[in-house]
Amino acid sequence: MTTQNIGLMKALAAKMDYLDQRQNVLSQNIANSDTPSYQPKDLLPVDFGTVLKRVTKENAVRPETTNAMHMPSPGKIADPKNRAQKEVYEVAPAENAVIIEEQMLKASKNMMDYNLMTSLYQKNVGMLRTALGRGQ
């Protein structure tokens, strides 16, 4: 058995793969910031809940609330980060619509998300090692 058979690890690996592909797209946008008539591209956002359902083949992963003061499950609260992508109206005279500052911000956020996924992956592997008696 490998860690790739565990649903959470599959979901983390899928998110890391998505972030890797997004970094490539954002890098292409930055590289083409001076190319005439170039329009910036981005990947569609992935709903982590849908990915988790697909990986686990069921919708059974929910936090359990044992006290009325606990926060409700995440599915009941609208995620403020779910926003439509901003329409780009700023276009250079050469009809290039790449805003380099915006692309750099997206690339930085993408890198932070990737580092978070890497950290979560390492922490979960560490917990598995500890559970197997091989941790420190």
Side-chain angles (χ1 to χ4, degrees):
M1 180 174 177
T2 66
T3 58
Q4 295 300 320
N5 295 336
I6 300 171
L8 178 62
M9 298 298 194
K10 283 183 184 177
L12 289 173
K15 178 74 175 182
M16 291 168 69
D17 186 44
Y18 167 80
L19 292 170
D20 182 46
Q21 292 177 14
R22 187 167 189 234
Q23 185 67 31
N24 287 336
V25 170
L26 295 173
S27 297
Q28 288 175 356
N29 288 344
I30 293 169
N32 289 301
S33 63
D34 288 334
T35 303
S37 303
Y38 183 81
Q39 299 296 314
K41 299 172 181 68
D42 200 353
L43 297 181
L44 293 174
V46 175
D47 180 19
F48 185 70
T50 305
V51 172
L52 191 59
K53 282 181 195 174
R54 195 174 340 135
V55 170
T56 60
K57 309 270 192 251
E58 60 188 39
N59 191 10
V61 178
R62 291 178 198 213
E64 184 174 349
T65 56
T66 57
N67 185 326
M69 297 300 288
H70 288 168
M71 293 176 59
S73 67
K76 294 180 182 175
I77 300 173
D79 186 6
K81 293 183 180 176
N82 284 339
R83 293 181 286 179
Q85 184 171 353
K86 180 180 135 188
E87 293 286 331
V88 177
Y89 298 106
E90 187 175 325
V91 178
E95 297 182 6
N96 183 315
V98 175
I99 302 170
I100 196 78
E101 294 85 5
E102 184 179 288
Q103 298 302 315
M104 294 298 286
L105 281 174
K106 286 181 180 180
S108 294
K109 183 181 181 318
N110 199 53
M111 182 184 70
M112 289 189 303
D113 288 348
Y114 191 87
N115 289 341
L116 174 65
M117 291 300 122
T118 304
S119 177
L120 286 173
Y121 198 94
Q122 288 174 339
K123 297 261 185 209
N124 280 295
V125 168
M127 287 192 317
L128 288 172
R129 288 179 142 200
T130 300
L132 294 173
R134 295 181 183 166
Q136 296 176 2

